[in-house]
Amino acid sequence: MLTKKGKYGLKAMVHLAAREPGEPSLVSEIAEANNIPKKFLDTILGELRNAGFVNSKKGKGGGYTLARSAHLIRVGHIIRILDGPLAPIQCASKTSYRRCDDCTDERHCGVRILMLEAREALATVLDNRTLAEMRAAAQDDELILSYVI
Amino acid sequence: MLTKKGKYGLKAMVHLAAREPGEPSLVSEIAEANNIPKKFLDTILGELRNAGFVNSKKGKGGGYTLARSAHLIRVGHIIRILDGPLAPIQCASKTSYRRCDDCTDERHCGVRILMLEAREALATVLDNRTLAEMRAAAQDDELILSYVI
DNA sequence: CCCCATCCTCACGATTCAATAGGAATTGCT
DNA sequence: AGCAATTCCTATTGAATCGTGAGGATGGGG
């Protein structure tokens, strides 16, 4: 489940991606444009900054900018920072594996095997999509999106 | 995120799938075999029964059995009952859609479009796998599992 | 009628989530 | 130097959810 923190963070990143590179955005501006509580967004952008996704500048004329080109920022990475691992269950995570304490034989745990598949499917989507693509998809009236039921 | 309720429920279902059809299992037996708190499993199986996935019988010789063949039970359905919709965000859910209150223009929301893709990827895995397949995967030393990175 | 096992309701502590509060630190401008 | 703008930090709060346990009601089998 994507939390509001994750959702707000992604929206903020999309907002930044829509800017001329180097042109800073204010927290208050991003918050207002996306209906996000300002103070909450404040802490979210702080985390994204600590993680190296955005740069910040204080004082007049300050604000936030993307630290890298939107083409180089993968959506899955952002979500991991804000909401934790993608895997539905920790014993199926690759970036932050942890054993289930109730599982005696992990190799024959059907749940885990299934969740490895699920994680793989999720990661395939989220780790291949970049911020630039996400923004483009939003602008182009969903043309890019092609379902394969 | 799969909660413990979901995990325990799936494990219990796998346990039942490993039985001769019609042969009932006791809650205490399932709980012990899978390291699940008995009382908790009690309520979980109750929900699965209300949802029509398992049948129950009280008294001596009672217990739980699958309501249908394990080939006909899709894992995604079980998870939806126990943990709610698969979609990472409600505005991207097909089974229980709900609009985001902070989103003014849903059609151009990059986050939602991306999450529709993510939901699709997840559902493709979970709604196509049956309980029988999950059980088989666990027994066959993960042979069935084939990653496509 | 008596065991056995499911069924039901309630309650609880812990954790996480979402948001708010209040102010400290830094920068730019004049 | 002084002021205003803006990020940065820490703590708190209220609400919801999660995981679990207690106690007993219900109903079938013998």
Side-chain angles (χ1 to χ4, degrees), chain B residues 26-27 42 49 56 58-59 64:
Chain B
L26 301 185
V27 174
D42 205 344
R49 182 184 121 270
S56 63
K58 291 184 183 177
Y64 285 93

Side-chain angles (χ1 to χ4, degrees), chain A residues 26-27 42 49 56 58-59 64:
Chain A
L26 301 185
V27 174
D42 204 344
R49 181 183 121 271
S56 63
K58 290 184 185 177
Y64 285 93

Side-chain angles (χ1 to χ4, degrees), chain A:
Chain A
M1 187 60 160
L2 189 73
T3 65
K4 292 209 175 184
K5 183 153 99 177
K7 181 170 77 167
Y8 292 162
L10 287 179
K11 285 193 173 190
M13 291 295 278
V14 170
H15 189 103
L16 292 181
R19 283 296 172 112
E20 296 299 312
E23 206 62 41
S25 304
L26 301 185
V27 174
S28 53
E29 170 198 326
I30 305 174
E32 199 169 346
N34 295 280
N35 293 310
I36 304 172
K38 189 202 166 203
K39 274 294 196 180
F40 194 16
L41 183 56
D42 204 344
T43 68
I44 294 170
L45 285 168
E47 290 187 42
L48 290 173
R49 181 183 121 271
N50 290 336
F53 286 106
V54 297
N55 292 326
S56 63
K57 204 172 143 197
K58 290 184 185 177
K60 199 161 199 169
Y64 285 93
T65 54
L66 290 186
R68 287 170 275 151
S69 160
H71 295 277
L72 300 178
I73 301 180
R74 303 195 176 275
V75 179
H77 291 33
I78 302 175
I79 295 179
R80 282 195 193 83
I81 293 299
L82 297 175
D83 279 354
L86 299 184
I89 195 172
Q90 274 207 312
C91 66
S93 171
K94 287 193 178 169
T95 61
S96 64
Y97 166 85
R98 223 189 106 192
R99 182 174 153 274
C100 286
D101 35 352
D102 59 284
C103 225
T104 56
D105 185 2
E106 205 175 57
R107 304 212 142 204
H108 293 81
C109 176
V111 176
R112 178 171 156 270
I113 296 173
L114 185 78
M115 291 305 147
L116 280 169
E117 276 191 271
R119 186 221 97 96
E120 213 58 28
L122 249 188
T124 297
V125 170
L126 299 178
D127 282 340
N128 282 315
R129 289 270 178 263
T130 68
L131 195 54
E133 286 169 341
M134 179 158 63
R135 179 179 163 248
Q139 287 187 325
D140 296 359
D141 274 330
E142 307 193 19
L143 286 185
I144 285 179
L145 192 60
S146 59
Y147 293 127
V148 185
I149 295 186

Side-chain angles (χ1 to χ4, degrees), chain B residues 1 10 17 19-20 57 73 92 99-100 102 104 126 130:
Chain B
M1 186 59 161
L10 286 178
R19 283 298 171 113
E20 296 300 313
K57 205 173 140 194
I73 301 180
R99 181 174 154 275
C100 286
D102 59 285
T104 56
L126 298 179
T130 68

